[in-house]
Amino acid sequence: MGDLTLAASAEGDPARVMFLVLMGLVAVGGLTLTIVRTARSMRPREKQMALLAAELDGRAQVYLRMIENGLTEQDLAWVAGSRGYSVIVHRAFKYYEFVYTPHQPGRIA
């Protein structure tokens, strides 16, 4: 009887190890993404504004995650307005949506 329980527990170990390895990879990947996005938001204000202006290149819609950006909403609206875009703030999902509106640029919704 004792040998049977040892054999049964040994069969479950590879699956458990694989699960723990996969969960570790997911945790490390999530931490890496958070660090990268936080580092992007710590860039100087002028550099962030220049990068945002480069992203707003005439496409109908551009999305930017809040964690990747350290600019104020006024700065976002100013850059967006200078490129013919309006800003929609999605607080629940934590991202900004820039919509090309050359007839009413710079609005915040």
Side-chain angles (χ1 to χ4, degrees), residues 48-49 51-66 68-90 94-102 104-109:
Q48 287 186 45
M49 291 175 82
L51 290 171
L52 176 59
E55 285 286 320
L56 303 177
D57 57 2
R59 292 179 278 172
Q61 293 177 318
V62 177
Y63 300 98
L64 179 68
R65 300 200 72 30
M66 288 183 178
E68 294 180 6
N69 192 335
L71 297 173
T72 64
E73 288 185 14
Q74 290 77 20
D75 288 339
L76 293 171
W78 184 83
V79 174
S82 70
R83 298 291 184 173
Y85 284 82
S86 294
V87 183
I88 301 171
V89 180
H90 296 277
K94 298 185 180 190
Y95 72 95
Y96 299 108
E97 179 180 3
F98 297 89
V99 180
Y100 189 64
T101 56
Q104 293 181 326
R107 295 184 51 200
I108 299 178

Side-chain angles (χ1 to χ4, degrees), residues 2-16:
D3 294 333
L4 184 60
T5 56
L6 286 176
S9 66
E11 289 175 9
D13 283 345
R16 182 172 183 225

Side-chain angles (χ1 to χ4, degrees), residues 9-23:
S9 66
E11 289 175 9
D13 283 345
R16 182 172 183 225
V17 169
M18 189 61 129
F19 174 76
L20 291 174
V21 167
L22 288 175
M23 292 307 294

